[in-house]
Amino acid sequence: MKNSVSLGILLTSLAYMAFTFHDAIIKILVVSIPVWQILFFRSLTILLGCLAYGRAKLVRQTMTSPIIKPMIARSVLLLSAWLSYYSAASHLQLAEVTTLYYAAPVVGTLLAWFILKEEVTPARWLAVGVGFVGVLIACNPIGLTISWPVYLALQAAVLWASAMVLLRKTSLHEKTIVQLTVSNVFFLVMTGVAVLYTWQTPDMTQLALLIATGVVAGSAQFALFEGMRRAPVSVLAPFEYTSLGWAFILGYLIWTDIPGSNVFAGACLILGAGLIIIVSERLRRRAAA
């Protein structure tokens, strides 16, 4: 990749692909292992990997970071978003909660324009809109009414989008490995308290999946943080929709869920949203040159 924006798009797309694999592993584990324990093992695995790489130098850099407070604030937003999402998912159909959650790229683009003062071109707005319509068609939520779980799903979308905007700001001022360390220390402490009351001793297969969750999630977080460092939020937001396509692919391969024709129609629109961004950004660079 010859330019920062293209690399940011690639890393972000890979991150959301990895997050989908991560969610698939959690879906397998959550049948027998509490969510808190899964998140605890995930954070522990990521943190051990960071410490193995950075060692004492990483500890010093993390403790003396000038933006540790914003990074902790971002971690609070992320944890709140996940708790809201999981709470909503326990009461809503998958199609319903997915559609509501995918309001996040729209909210993220709005916040990037309002808070970060990013220039959101018509092509970027178009990409976000086309992608969201694709999600609506693919998920096909029927009979959705205003309720507390619906509110929680929308709250998760807003919290996630806010965290991504804050991530864009912190990623420009701190190394990715330091950000990973702060986030996962926070999650380790918060989930560790709950694990004391919900612990289930895993067997060897479950332990391997728990560790795999951390490896995949750590890779996804690293790619997402690095992607946010290299490209504006309004450029990257539509690529969050690509995780829906991976979700349907994994659903078929693992659980033999067969997508309907509406899924393929929605996937085409989601792919189109990404192409709109890629083409428009290339045209912008040529015009600038």
Side-chain angles (χ1 to χ4, degrees), residues 22-226:
H22 159 267
D23 290 344
I25 299 173
I26 287 183
K27 183 176 176 62
I28 295 171
L29 282 171
V30 79
V31 176
S32 54
I33 303 292
V35 172
W36 288 107
Q37 189 171 337
I38 297 171
L39 296 178
F40 175 83
F41 269 91
R42 185 190 71 174
S43 296
L44 179 62
T45 303
I46 296 172
L47 184 59
L48 290 176
C50 290
L51 292 175
Y53 177 80
R55 307 197 179 194
K57 181 180 179 181
L58 175 61
V59 175
R60 291 193 300 271
Q61 289 176 332
T62 302
M63 294 181 66
T64 58
S65 175
I67 59 167
I68 192 167
K69 290 183 178 179
M71 288 190 289
I72 293 175
R74 186 197 63 222
S75 299
V76 172
L77 288 173
L78 287 173
L79 180 61
S80 301
W82 282 331
L83 291 176
S84 298
Y85 180 81
Y86 286 129
S87 299
S90 63
H91 297 284
L92 296 174
Q93 295 180 7
L94 180 60
E96 294 174 336
V97 72
T98 301
T99 303
L100 292 167
Y101 177 74
Y102 275 115
V106 180
V107 176
T109 303
L110 286 170
L111 292 177
W113 170 70
F114 183 73
I115 297 176
L116 299 180
K117 307 301 180 183
E118 289 185 4
E119 178 189 358
V120 183
T121 63
R124 295 178 187 177
W125 285 118
L126 177 62
V128 170
V130 168
F132 188 64
V133 171
V135 171
L136 286 174
I137 294 174
C139 294
N140 192 26
I142 299 175
L144 189 63
T145 58
I146 299 300
S147 62
W148 181 247
V150 169
Y151 166 78
L152 286 176
L154 290 172
Q155 176 176 278
V158 173
L159 289 170
W160 175 264
S162 301
M164 291 303 99
V165 170
L166 190 52
L167 173 57
R168 170 63 176 170
K169 296 192 72 171
T170 57
S171 64
L172 297 175
H173 298 90
E174 189 55 89
K175 295 179 180 178
T176 294
I177 193 168
V178 173
Q179 296 193 77
L180 284 174
T181 302
V182 172
S183 292
N184 287 286
V185 165
F186 175 82
F187 287 129
L188 195 65
V189 172
M190 298 303 293
T191 58
V193 176
V195 163
L196 294 176
Y197 301 95
T198 61
W199 176 264
Q200 295 287 337
T201 302
D203 58 29
M204 293 305 296
T205 300
Q206 292 169 334
L207 181 60
L209 289 174
L210 286 169
I211 295 173
T213 303
V215 173
V216 174
S219 302
Q221 289 180 19
F222 183 86
L224 182 64
F225 287 15
E226 284 293 313

Side-chain angles (χ1 to χ4, degrees), residues 246-260:
W246 289 109
F248 286 125
I249 292 172
L250 289 179
Y252 173 74
L253 294 177
I254 299 174
W255 296 281
T256 65
D257 295 335
I258 300 177

